[in-house]
Amino acid sequence: MAPERVKVLGAYTPEFAEILTPSALAFVAELHRRFDRTRRDLLARRAARQRAFAAGILPDFLPETRLIREKPWTVAPLPADLLDRRVEITGPVERKMIINALNSGAKVFMADLEDSNAPTWVNVIGGKLICAMPCAGRFRSARPRKNTA
């Protein structure tokens, strides 16, 4: 059940309720209320910038980011789980792919909701559901098979 003034326009199956919970929808609604004006302004700036590029102006760094670029900075250390990336798999958020990745022995699996996934509403929400399945212990058939070829 969606919070007041929130309407899901895309396809909505009973399984989607696991991802599109009332609190998740309320969070997205709050983000929209808080940042929609900024989002629209940024899209307008993007369109203006694209027109400038089309007119022959070359891209450059924004002057207001100069101090950030020139100042020495560091980032937090990587989490221990990501320190050894010798074996990792990236793939689409399909049940079979995730089962194979979990059984592969790879230390990392990156679920790709962009390049290897057509980003339709059903694919993105369905992909999030599939990604949640191993955490919920719902991949009972995930067992390595012997290669007989």
Side-chain angles (χ1 to χ4, degrees):
M1 179 137 203
E4 186 178 332
R5 297 180 53 208
V6 173
K7 185 174 182 182
V8 176
L9 299 178
Y12 194 90
T13 66
E15 298 85 28
F16 283 16
E18 289 183 46
I19 299 298
L20 302 173
T21 63
S23 61
L25 292 171
F27 175 68
V28 172
E30 176 59 27
L31 288 175
H32 175 73
R33 285 193 268 293
R34 191 178 297 182
F35 298 111
D36 186 50
R37 179 174 293 148
T38 301
R39 180 185 67 85
R40 289 175 188 264
D41 290 345
L42 290 170
L43 287 172
R45 285 176 57 192
R46 177 193 284 179
R49 191 147 164 88
Q50 184 58 52
R51 287 190 298 275
F53 293 153
I57 294 178
L58 296 176
D60 199 358
F61 292 109
L62 297 173
E64 60 265 29
T65 64
R66 181 176 179 190
L67 289 175
I68 296 169
R69 291 191 316 274
E70 292 178 355
K71 182 179 176 181
W73 54 276
T74 60
V75 297
L78 285 173
D81 290 348
L82 296 179
L83 288 176
D84 184 356
R85 293 185 61 190
R86 290 175 291 169
V87 181
E88 64 183 33
I89 296 175
T90 301
V93 287
E94 299 165 351
R95 182 182 170 91
K96 183 178 178 181
M97 178 67 199
I98 292 178
I99 288 172
N100 289 338
L102 292 172
N103 289 328
S104 72
K107 296 187 179 290
V108 175
F109 172 69
M110 292 180 285
D112 187 354
L113 284 154
E114 296 177 330
D115 297 333
S116 66
N117 179 55
T120 64
W121 169 258
V122 171
N123 283 356
V124 171
I125 301 300
K128 291 182 178 296
L129 278 168
I130 291 169
C131 287
M133 289 175 129
C135 299
R138 293 193 310 222
F139 273 172
R140 300 198 200 309
S141 64
R143 290 192 187 167
R145 293 185 186 172
K146 291 184 180 178
N147 185 355
T148 56

